[in-house]
Amino acid sequence: MKLNVVPASTGKLWVRQGIRAFWKQPIALSGLFFMFMAIMSVSSLVPIVGSFVALALLPAATLGLMAATREVDLGKFPMPAILAVGFRAGKERLRDMLILGVLYACCFIGVMGVSALMDGGDFAKLYLMGGTLDADTVMKPEFQNAMWLSLLLYMPLSAVFWHAPALVHWHGVPAVKSLFFSTVACISNWRAFLVFGSLWSVIFLATALIITLLSGLIGDSDFASLTLLPAMLMLAAMFFCSTYFSFRDCFTSDTLYA
């Protein structure tokens, strides 16, 4: 396995490749993404340990979406079973994927725990357990501080786990080493990831703004409420598609596991 350092412009290429891959199989990839969301939602409903289980499944589930994108890129049709590909690659990789899941869940809960120091845990409870978000709560300085602190802490956590599931699955890297290599890859290619993240932020914000403006122009407040969530979910599916291309360009190997 070899780590590649790519130019900043590659971040733009990843975004374009993810969008293009999605539109090759929009129904299949949308369906898989909704299955991914459903798995996370149902898992979080389990009493007491539900949120932890959902977080622990996230690395394997994101790998499934990356594997589906790879299938599409190879001209194949991604079947629903591909979401569980991380659990069907042998005992060693299964063990490492479970280790990644537990570590991710613990780290994420740790991030929420630190944010609780800002607002007494209101943001963490809302994020982990759900609930109704009202304007008064959002406007509280403590809640906003907790939200921004969580985002600030999550960015390095995301870098640590960004490539890790794919390294475990396709390159057979042990769990702890995969976290190290993922971190090094993200730091080495920070310019490309900065472009990548900035472009996706612009796309999400621009889409929300356009839908809001259209809703105002046609004088129908229901238009925004009916179209904004589906549009955001579709963009999220494209985003997860693009993560596969970021992995593919950051690492090369003589052998790529199916």
Side-chain angles (χ1 to χ4, degrees), residues 143-166:
F143 185 89
Q144 293 183 9
N145 289 338
M147 179 180 66
W148 288 113
L149 178 60
S150 297
L151 178 61
L152 183 64
L153 293 175
Y154 184 74
M155 290 179 67
L157 177 63
S158 176
V160 172
F161 283 88
W162 188 270
H163 299 296

Side-chain angles (χ1 to χ4, degrees), residues 120-202:
D122 291 340
F123 176 75
K125 290 176 184 176
L126 181 68
Y127 196 98
L128 294 173
M129 302 178 185
T132 303
L133 182 63
D134 55 79
D136 291 336
T137 301
V138 175
M139 294 306 295
K140 289 181 179 178
E142 298 85 357
F143 185 89
Q144 293 183 9
N145 289 338
M147 179 180 66
W148 288 113
L149 178 60
S150 297
L151 178 61
L152 183 64
L153 293 175
Y154 184 74
M155 290 179 67
L157 177 63
S158 176
V160 172
F161 283 88
W162 188 270
H163 299 296
L167 286 169
V168 167
H169 179 68
W170 280 310
H171 293 295
V173 179
V176 176
K177 285 187 177 180
S178 73
L179 298 175
F180 172 76
F181 290 138
S182 176
T183 304
V184 172
C186 289
I187 293 174
S188 300
N189 291 293
W190 69 269
R191 295 175 182 81
F193 278 103
L194 179 62
V195 173
F196 176 81
S198 299
L199 281 176
W200 273 119
S201 297
V202 169

Side-chain angles (χ1 to χ4, degrees), residues 18-19 22-23 26-27 29-30 33-34 37 200 203-204 207 227-241:
I19 295 173
F22 176 84
W23 287 110
I27 296 176
L29 290 172
S30 294
F33 180 73
F34 287 129
M37 294 294 292
W200 273 119
I203 291 170
F204 274 94
T207 301
T227 58
L228 188 57
L229 181 59
M232 292 297 105
L233 290 175
M234 186 175 293
L235 287 177
M238 296 180 195
F239 169 81
F240 277 103
C241 288

